[in-house]
Amino acid sequence: GTIIQTSSDYSVAGGVTTVIFLGSTERTLTLPSVADNVGRVISIKNLSTEFLNVSPSIWESSSVSLSAIGSGQRHVIQSDGSKWLIIF
């Protein structure tokens, strides 16, 4: 898969498996369609100094979702067809 490093807002394209955010400005990561990407895994790492907003939200459990990733945090997510689930 492809690794993208960016300090801008970014919409995840096909074939991208890892997104690393850099910089010092709050940005937004737009994930691809959950329904069209069943089983797809994407790694997200926020190396910026600000929050990284995520749209749509990613889910830690059936009742806990996140709409932002803090500075220095990383998550691996996978689509189950209805949600992007945090698996690591």
Side-chain angles (χ1 to χ4, degrees):
T2 302
I3 298 172
I4 299 294
Q5 295 186 53
T6 184
S7 57
S8 301
D9 292 338
Y10 181 72
S11 294
V12 179
V16 173
T17 55
T18 303
V19 182
I20 300 170
F21 275 85
L22 310 165
S24 58
T25 305
E26 189 171 314
R27 294 294 182 190
T28 299
L29 173 67
T30 303
L31 298 170
S33 163
V34 177
D36 294 339
N37 286 278
V38 176
R40 184 172 178 186
V41 176
I42 301 170
S43 298
I44 306 164
K45 190 170 188 176
N46 183 9
L47 294 179
S48 76
T49 58
E50 299 295 328
F51 278 99
L52 172 62
N53 299 305
V54 181
S55 178
S57 295
I58 57 178
W59 292 81
E60 270 193 278
S61 68
S62 61
S63 61
V64 178
S65 67
L66 301 175
S67 60
I69 298 173
S71 176
Q73 293 185 327
R74 61 181 174 256
H75 293 292
V76 177
I77 60 173
Q78 185 170 19
S79 170
D80 71 352
S82 63
K83 297 178 183 174
W84 285 103
L85 302 171
I86 298 171
I87 57 174
F88 293 108

